[in-house]
Amino acid sequence: MTQSEFLKIVTPFKDKVFRLAKRLLVSREEAEDATQEVLLKLWRNKGQIENYKNVEAFSMTMTKNFCLDKLKSKQSQNLKIVHNNYQDHTVALQKQIELNDSMQWVAKIIQDLPEQQKLVVQLRDIEQYDFDEIAKMLDMNPTAVRVALSRARKIIREKLTSTHNYGVR
Amino acid sequence: MVLDNIEQLLEKYENGQTTLKEEAQLKDYFSQETVAPHLGHYKAIFGYYLVNQQEAFTKTLPLQTKKKINFKWLSVAAAVVLMVGIYFNKPNEDVITDQDRLAYNQAKSYLELVSKALNKGTTQVGYLDALNKAGTHVDYLKEMENPIGRILKINNQ
């Protein structure tokens, strides 16, 4: 397999991999590193790529596992506080992606969700996968995905309305 | 009418029962400038999702096509080359021509001549032996000195 063939396979979903990594790792730099790592792993095993039924789903699963491992190793190094305090400056820098105040609240609320709900929201509400695909990627059954998603959506809405009612805005 | 529809969809949405199409409908509605005021917070939520869909991976991928040399196999290859080299590199037996034989005989006869002349020289040097013999005879003179010493001792007493 040549480089261009590989890129043709990878290009449609590399942004999705990146966004998923960023959802979990928060920092843009770390997400970029993780994405690179995942794609290079694919490249190294390019001989087997045709055996995978769904390269995209496979990559998403790989990304999820990679990022969760990374978070776990970070927790064991007691770097959790550093990670939680991380502020994504690039959001402010990127002018084409200007988030207003309440959108930042949404980001914060999603960041506080449990990891599984975070993943489900990312895959469904942002990447728009259907339930079967998400179930396959996360190794869950579709109803569990649906339940997690419903719970997450309710939490987001409730927290956001409560912040609004306290007159933050 | 539209608002009713949206509210229904929102309820389904929160229960996780909307299809992707219906969710797209919701996103469409909430990307408008004005939405019903009591649904304002949804605008932020769907707006956030829409914005986040556009974020892209910009880092380049360093894809290596060169394969790393496996040094384990390199050593095996070197051993094979060495063995093959030893096997095929047996010294060749040269064919001896008449010319070579002639040169050999000539060289041999010259060397014989040289050695004969050398032997003659050494026999003449052999007379030096007589000189050594004479030297040993002279040594007897030392024994003469011993009695002389004794005589001198007696005189002193």
Side-chain angles (χ1 to χ4, degrees), chain A residues 3 15 19 22-23 28 32-33 36 43 97 102 124-126 128 146 150 153-154 156-157 160-161, chain B residues 13-16 18 23 27 41-42 44 48 51-53 55-60 62-64:
Chain A
Q3 273 192 33
D15 291 340
R19 289 190 291 251
K22 195 174 168 225
R23 176 67 55 210
R28 185 186 177 89
E32 277 177 344
D33 286 348
Q36 204 176 44
W43 169 248
I97 305 174
S102 50
R124 176 67 180 194
D125 279 338
I126 296 179
Q128 299 168 335
R146 213 177 276 268
S150 157
R153 281 170 173 174
K154 276 176 186 159
I156 294 169
R157 196 252 301 147
L160 197 65
T161 45
Chain B
Y13 171 79
E14 289 210 336
N15 292 327
T18 38
E23 282 168 25
K27 276 180 194 168
H41 47 276
Y42 281 110
Y48 176 76
V51 161
N52 264 263
Q53 276 171 24
E55 210 172 351
F57 178 66
T58 48
K59 221 175 172 184
T60 49
L63 297 179
Q64 287 178 332

Side-chain angles (χ1 to χ4, degrees), chain A residues 6 22-23 44 77 81 99 114 129:
Chain A
F6 178 75
K22 195 174 168 225
R23 176 67 55 210
R44 260 176 258 137
Q77 287 166 9
I81 295 167
L99 301 181
Y129 286 113

Side-chain angles (χ1 to χ4, degrees), chain A residues 12-164:
Chain A
F13 63 82
K14 73 177 192 331
D15 291 340
K16 293 181 183 178
V17 166
F18 169 65
R19 289 190 291 251
L20 182 67
K22 195 174 168 225
R23 176 67 55 210
L24 289 170
L25 300 175
V26 183
S27 126
R28 185 186 177 89
E29 280 75 22
E30 281 199 61
E32 277 177 344
D33 286 348
T35 310
Q36 204 176 44
E37 197 62 40
V38 166
L39 294 179
L40 285 181
K41 252 184 214 169
L42 269 186
W43 169 248
R44 260 176 258 137
N45 298 326
K46 56 185 181 290
Q48 292 164 24
I49 245 175
E50 272 127 32
N51 299 341
Y52 303 142
K53 275 184 198 152
N54 186 343
V55 184
E56 182 170 339
F58 179 78
S59 314
M60 294 304 261
T61 310
M62 220 159 87
T63 311
K64 179 204 83 177
N65 292 336
F66 183 84
C67 293
L68 291 184
D69 279 354
K70 212 155 192 212
L71 288 178
K72 223 180 263 173
S73 72
K74 226 178 232 173
Q75 274 176 358
S76 64
Q77 287 166 9
N78 283 334
L79 286 174
K80 197 166 191 265
I81 295 167
V82 176
H83 185 73
N84 279 352
N85 282 354
Y86 187 86
Q87 279 195 329
D88 196 357
H89 298 294
T90 50
V91 173
L93 291 172
Q94 277 184 314
K95 280 185 183 161
Q96 74 271 31
I97 305 174
E98 237 171 57
L99 301 181
N100 63 37
D101 193 41
S102 50
M103 281 189 193
Q104 278 178 11
W105 273 107
V106 177
K108 216 171 260 178
I109 292 164
I110 293 175
Q111 203 180 312
D112 288 340
L113 288 175
E115 258 142 25
Q116 200 185 51
Q117 292 181 12
K118 231 189 265 185
L119 283 165
V120 172
V121 167
Q122 176 72 22
L123 293 176
R124 176 67 180 194
D125 279 338
I126 296 179
E127 307 301 357
Q128 299 168 335
Y129 286 113
D130 62 43
F131 285 115
D132 291 335
E133 279 177 304
I134 296 171
K136 219 182 284 165
M137 286 170 192
L138 301 184
D139 199 19
M140 295 161 69
N141 71 46
T143 35
V145 172
R146 213 177 276 268
V147 169
L149 184 66
S150 157
R151 213 167 279 163
R153 281 170 173 174
K154 276 176 186 159
I155 291 170
I156 294 169
R157 196 252 301 147
E158 276 163 17
K159 281 198 177 170
L160 197 65
T161 45
S162 72
T163 54
H164 275 230

